[in-house]
């Protein structure tokens, strides 16, 4: 897959042209792909101004990785930036290779400026669209790219072979340095500044100042079936996604195939991907591809701008000199259109009957939500600029996750280093309350901690993720590292084991790596703990992970080498 900046060949428009990929040519099966990723500051101009942003190899978005199921990736990362960095391969199972997973201070210490580290892992039984991103502070605002996994040689998609394919990366852009934005929020305790634009493949599009000349154009011919691989790489915002006048048939989500279903709008939380087929069955012309915030929290500031790209039929009439042909604009849901988000989630199902774990060994119930820390008297007021002189925080089961700073949790576990984490993360909330009701102010302040929950190898886990209305209810995209899971049910209000169990789909639930837990509601997921290591589970809204909406599972080794974590690579960075 390559992105070319070129003159549009058939009319004489300047534009950023996105050429569709053909599948990689390979001789051997499986293959090992070697890449050098240099993390560096690069000047990039957006919204009329040039900024030095952190990129990989000077590209924004970063390079697209293309592999087949069964292949191995070896990525040599060199840090030439002034920040600590790590990279995460979002959605890759990393069977026994937790050392390559990437979240800083969870599976590795950061790659410090001037340092390097080689990530080495094999794709085992996964196909579809994933992505990679920095997993250190807010660097992923600009350090991200697509990771596309094609079927093994000789095997094919379980749907009509598309004529063309293109990744669509939705991102978020700040006029300021994103690291300064999060540092300001952390210092003051207030909510961070919202972004100034969203981007599609790095470009804001026609509706922003100084951007129309670079709007991404996706050229198509009439009568084709094409595959769009949509990735929400935004930092803090769930997004609706639509293409004017074209229906989309969803065929995969988070690199798991789905039963095809047709919709005019997608909703993706940060971290989620959705593959859709679109038929170019409309009159030749130009059609906007657009995204818009799905903002489920009330009374919170958000970026309400609209990024666009253009789906352009090559046979569309060329505009006459001096006349511009305005692309067709799509209908977009309202910002707070929870019914549309819910209908989209309900449409996702596995292609056929799947093997959902039934005899559950670990029945877990975690609350997920925000909170406020009361400021100790000695704190200066400048550090307490949250609501009514507090500081924002967030937690799972009332524990606000704190990263260690002198060892990664995985290293501490593997080397038996004490004092880095504890294993007392609670299986159920320490206090039961009406999670989605009017929660007493006395319950709003969580306890900071670096707590993990231990799982025996092979245990069958059911986890209820229960949103809370503390401070403000909100849809939280919860991501688990190292695992895919089945989403067996979702609902609003408080999960009720007496009545809601009857709603479980144990036949064809969707499999994902990130679940958008409904606002003021809950989701129930199931998985088998078959991958030893330390696996972060967190909200993929980066400000929420910054505030502590995270925990980690520590999955013990099973029996024998094939059920055990590999030894750490020799070049694992020290703290
Ligand atoms: C955040 O926004 C405020 C108000 O517009 C501005 O004063 C401040 O400089 C911004 N912070 C950063 C880090 O850009
Ligand atoms: C575009 O620029 C104009 C004039 O400088 C300004 O008033 C307007 O707010 C800008 N619009 C956006 C979307 O930034
Ligand atoms: C802040 O204080 C005001 C006035 O006392 C009160 O109405 C409001 O509910 C408080 N907000 C929070 C988040 O505590
Ligand atoms: C650093 O590690 C030691 C154990 O070697 C531990 O006692 C100490 O609390 C740790 N410090 C921090 C800040 O995490
Ligand atoms: C929520 O409860 C508090 C007391 O616990 C009460 O003062 C407040 O009016 C209640 N708010 C609503 C919307 O019911
Ligand atoms: C969380 O723990 C703190 C400290 O014990 C307590 O004050 C608060 O009420 C707890 N909140 C919940 C939701 O459990
Ligand atoms: C960078 O990482 C090192 C440990 O590897 C840590 O001591 C240091 O505080 C980190 N710097 C920042 C700015 O987080
Ligand atoms: Cu969240």
């Amino acid at each position: 897959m390559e992105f070319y900046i070129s003159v549009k060949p058939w009319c004489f428009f300047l534009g950023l042209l996105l050429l569709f990929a053909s599948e990689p040519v390979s001789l051997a099966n499986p293959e090992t792909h070697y890449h050098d990723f240099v993390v560096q500051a690069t000047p990039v101009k957006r919204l009329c101004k040039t900024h030095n942003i952190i990129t990989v190899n000077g590209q924004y978005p970063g390079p697209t990785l293309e592999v087949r199921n069964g292949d191995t990736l070896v990525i040599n990362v060199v840090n030439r930036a002034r920040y600590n960095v790590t990279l995460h391969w979002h959605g890759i199972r990393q069977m026994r290779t937790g050392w390559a997973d990437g979240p800083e201070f969870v599976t590795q210490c950061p790659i410090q400026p001037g340092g390097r580290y080689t990530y080495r892992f094999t794709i085992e039984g996964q196909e579809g669209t994933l992505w990679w991103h920095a997993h250190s502070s807010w660097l992923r605002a600009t350090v991200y790219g697509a990771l596309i996994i094609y079927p093994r040689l000789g095997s094919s998609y379980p749907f009509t072979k598309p004529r063309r394919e293109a990744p669509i990366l939705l991102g978020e852009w700040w006029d300021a340095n994103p690291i300064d934005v999060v540092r300001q929020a952390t210092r003051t305790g207030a909510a961070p500044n919202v972004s100034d634009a969203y981007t599609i493949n790095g470009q804001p599009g026609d509706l922003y100042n100084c951007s129309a000349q670079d709007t991404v154009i996706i050229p198509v011919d009439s009568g084709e079936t094409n595959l769009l691989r949509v990735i929400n790489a935004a930092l803090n915002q769930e997004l609706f996604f639509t293409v004017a006048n074209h229906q989309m048939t969803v065929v995969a989500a988070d690199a798991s195939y789905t039963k095809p279903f047709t919709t005019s709008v997608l909703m993706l939380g940060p971290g989620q991907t959705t593959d859709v087929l679109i038929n170019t069955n409309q009159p030749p012309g130009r059609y906007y591809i657009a995204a818009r915030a799905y903002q489920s929290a009330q009374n919170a500031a958000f970026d309400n701008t609209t990024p666009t790209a253009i789906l352009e039929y090559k046979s569309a009439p060329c505009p006459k000199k001096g006349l511009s042909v305005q692309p067709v604009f799509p209908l977009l849901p309202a910002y707070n259109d929870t019914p549309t988000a819910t209908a989209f989630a309900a449409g996702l199902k596995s292609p056929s009957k799947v093997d959902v774990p039934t005899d559950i060994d670990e029945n877990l119930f975690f609350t997920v939500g925000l909170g406020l820390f009361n400021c100790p008297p000695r704190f200066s007021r400048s550090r307490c600029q949250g609501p009514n002189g507090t500081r924002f925080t967030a937690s799972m089961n009332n524990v606000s996750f704190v990263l260690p700073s002198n060892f990664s949790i995985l290293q501490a576990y593997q080397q038996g280093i004490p004092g880095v984490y504890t294993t007392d993360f609670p299986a159920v909330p320490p206090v039961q309350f009406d999670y989605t009701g009017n929660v007493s102010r006395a319950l709003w302040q969580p306890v900071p901690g670096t707590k993990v929950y231990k799982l025996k190898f092979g245990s069958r886990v059911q986890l209820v993720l229960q949103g809370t209305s503390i401070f403000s209810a909100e849809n939280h995209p919860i991501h688990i590292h190292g695992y895919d899971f089945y989403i067996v049910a979702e609902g609003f209000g408080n999960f009720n084991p007496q009545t809601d169990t009857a709603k479980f789909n144990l036949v064809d639930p969707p499999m994902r790596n990130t679940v958008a837990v409904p606002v003021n509601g809950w989701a129930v997921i199931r998985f088998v703990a078959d991958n030893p290591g330390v696996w972060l589970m967190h909200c993929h809204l980066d400000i929420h992970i910054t505030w502590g909406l995270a925990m980690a599972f520590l999955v013990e080794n099973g029996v024998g080498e094939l059920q055990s974590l590999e030894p750490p690579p020799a070049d694992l960075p020290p703290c």
Side-chain angles (χ1 to χ4, degrees):
M1 185 80 48
E2 285 176 59
F3 297 85
Y4 295 93
I5 297 173
S6 77
V7 174
K8 184 174 173 248
W10 46 94
C11 297
F12 294 92
F13 257 24
L14 264 181
L16 196 86
L17 202 61
L18 176 63
L19 292 193
F20 284 88
S22 51
E23 286 181 42
V25 182
S26 63
L27 304 168
N29 182 27
E31 272 187 289
T32 299
H33 306 255
Y34 296 86
H35 294 274
D36 288 313
F37 272 23
V38 179
V39 180
Q40 60 187 79
T42 306
V44 168
K45 186 174 182 186
R46 292 291 182 280
L47 307 181
C48 321
K49 287 185 284 285
T50 301
H51 304 273
N52 264 320
I53 64 165
I54 306 300
T55 66
V56 163
N57 299 349
Q59 292 172 251
Y60 171 70
T64 296
L65 296 173
E66 289 178 279
V67 298
R68 290 181 185 280
N69 184 4
D71 288 356
T72 295
L73 272 162
V74 179
I75 296 152
N76 175 31
V77 178
V78 177
N79 185 2
R80 296 222 179 100
R82 62 190 172 105
Y83 302 110
N84 285 343
V85 73
T86 64
L87 295 185
H88 168 55
W89 319 93
H90 183 110
I92 297 284
R93 292 285 324 264
Q94 299 287 8
M95 299 300 293
R96 305 175 48 228
T97 51
W99 305 107
D101 189 44
E104 69 172 351
F105 300 115
V106 177
T107 60
Q108 67 167 99
C109 296
I111 310 169
Q112 294 181 39
R116 59 169 64 224
Y117 178 48
T118 301
Y119 292 87
R120 192 182 292 269
F121 54 91
T122 298
I123 316 292
E124 294 185 31
Q126 296 189 278
E127 288 175 21
T129 306
L130 293 174
W131 59 302
W132 57 267
H133 62 78
H135 214 299
S136 177
S137 183
W138 274 20
L139 283 179
R140 81 170 178 85
T142 56
V143 179
Y144 64 87
L147 198 173
I148 295 170
I149 311 169
Y150 297 104
R152 288 172 191 277
L153 270 182
S155 97
S156 54
Y157 298 133
F159 47 80
T160 318
K161 186 174 162 54
R163 170 84 175 75
R164 312 158 194 259
E165 308 191 352
I168 304 278
L169 290 129
L170 309 176
E172 210 169 352
W173 177 268
W174 275 261
D175 278 334
N177 176 349
I179 303 297
D180 292 344
V181 175
V182 67
R183 282 184 181 164
Q184 182 181 40
T186 310
R187 192 175 60 245
T188 62
N193 290 358
V194 300
S195 54
D196 296 290
Y198 299 107
T199 55
I200 298 181
N201 293 345
Q203 291 294 341
D206 287 1
L207 307 188
Y208 297 87
N209 287 339
C210 310
S211 302
Q213 73 284 358
D214 294 321
T215 298
V216 169
I217 290 173
I218 301 196
V220 294
D221 274 319
S222 291
E224 296 173 343
T225 299
N226 294 324
L227 179 67
L228 300 181
R229 301 172 176 275
V230 188
I231 300 166
N232 186 347
L235 217 62
N236 289 320
Q237 191 62 59
E238 285 150 321
L239 293 165
F240 291 117
F241 176 86
T242 185
V243 182
N245 293 17
H246 290 74
Q247 291 285 102
M248 296 175 275
T249 301
V250 176
V251 292
D254 296 1
S256 288
Y257 293 118
T258 62
K259 207 169 266 165
F261 91 97
T262 299
T263 177
S264 59
V265 53
L266 315 179
M267 198 290 281
L268 298 98
Q272 295 186 314
T273 75
T274 306
D275 292 0
V276 298
L277 295 174
I278 59 171
N279 289 319
T280 47
N281 54 10
Q282 292 302 301
R286 307 171 81 219
Y287 299 88
Y288 273 126
I289 293 170
R292 167 183 271 184
Y294 165 46
Q295 177 66 13
S296 58
Q298 289 185 347
N299 307 321
F302 68 101
D303 178 352
N304 63 1
T305 63
T306 306
T308 55
I310 300 171
L311 186 78
E312 181 167 278
Y313 286 62
K314 290 192 221 160
S315 54
C318 285
K320 299 225 169 56
K321 206 169 181 236
L323 284 177
S324 67
V325 182
Q326 201 52 40
V328 180
F329 202 83
L331 274 176
L332 283 159
Y335 299 114
N336 62 357
D337 189 347
T338 292
T340 291
T342 307
F344 177 70
L348 293 174
K349 296 200 169 18
S350 282
S352 54
K353 186 171 176 354
V354 288
D355 194 11
V356 185
T358 47
D359 298 317
I360 299 299
D361 304 305
E362 294 274 0
N363 212 326
L364 307 177
F365 187 109
F366 294 178
T367 57
V368 297
L370 303 186
L372 295 177
F373 279 132
N374 299 321
C375 267
R378 62 184 187 321
F379 262 48
S380 89
R381 284 180 61 178
S382 68
R383 295 191 58 196
C384 305
Q385 295 183 38
N388 293 352
T390 61
R391 291 176 57 81
F392 270 112
T393 178
S395 64
M396 287 190 178
N397 274 354
N398 207 35
V399 182
S400 185
F401 189 70
V402 179
L403 289 170
S405 57
N406 52 4
F407 291 99
S408 74
I409 300 177
L410 189 59
Q411 274 174 305
Y413 164 59
Q414 201 246 355
Q415 295 171 26
I417 300 161
V420 177
Y421 65 91
T422 56
T423 56
D424 55 346
F425 188 88
V428 295
V431 178
Q432 286 187 23
F433 58 100
D434 176 3
Y435 307 110
T436 52
N438 180 12
V439 182
S440 156
R441 194 68 180 73
L443 296 171
W444 284 25
Q445 181 161 256
V447 183
T450 308
K451 297 177 187 294
V452 305
Y453 190 86
K454 245 188 200 177
L455 292 171
K456 290 232 172 318
F457 183 91
S459 49
R460 290 154 296 190
V461 181
Q462 170 174 300
L463 170 57
V464 178
L465 292 161
Q466 172 69 60
T468 77
S469 56
I470 291 176
F471 181 72
S472 171
E474 180 166 359
N475 182 306
H476 296 281
I478 304 293
H479 171 53
I480 308 188
H481 286 231
Y483 284 90
D484 285 328
F485 47 77
Y486 290 113
I487 305 171
V488 299
E490 295 184 79
F492 291 98
N494 299 336
F495 175 74
N496 180 334
Q498 269 73 51
T499 54
D500 289 327
T501 312
K503 298 175 193 158
F504 285 6
N505 175 2
L506 302 179
V507 179
D508 59 358
M511 179 178 260
R512 304 202 71 154
N513 61 49
T514 306
V515 56
V517 178
V519 49
N520 248 322
W522 49 268
V524 182
I525 65 174
R526 289 189 180 184
F527 62 96
V528 178
D530 59 357
N531 188 12
V534 172
W535 305 106
L536 190 63
M537 176 167 83
H538 64 94
C539 180
H540 220 286
L541 303 175
D542 268 27
I543 185 57
H544 291 183
I545 184 174
T546 306
W547 288 339
L549 219 173
M551 56 79 68
F553 287 110
L554 191 166
V555 180
E556 296 175 320
N557 286 337
V559 178
E561 194 187 323
L562 292 180
Q563 295 185 355
S564 299
L565 178 70
E566 289 182 358
D571 63 342
L572 191 70
C575 273

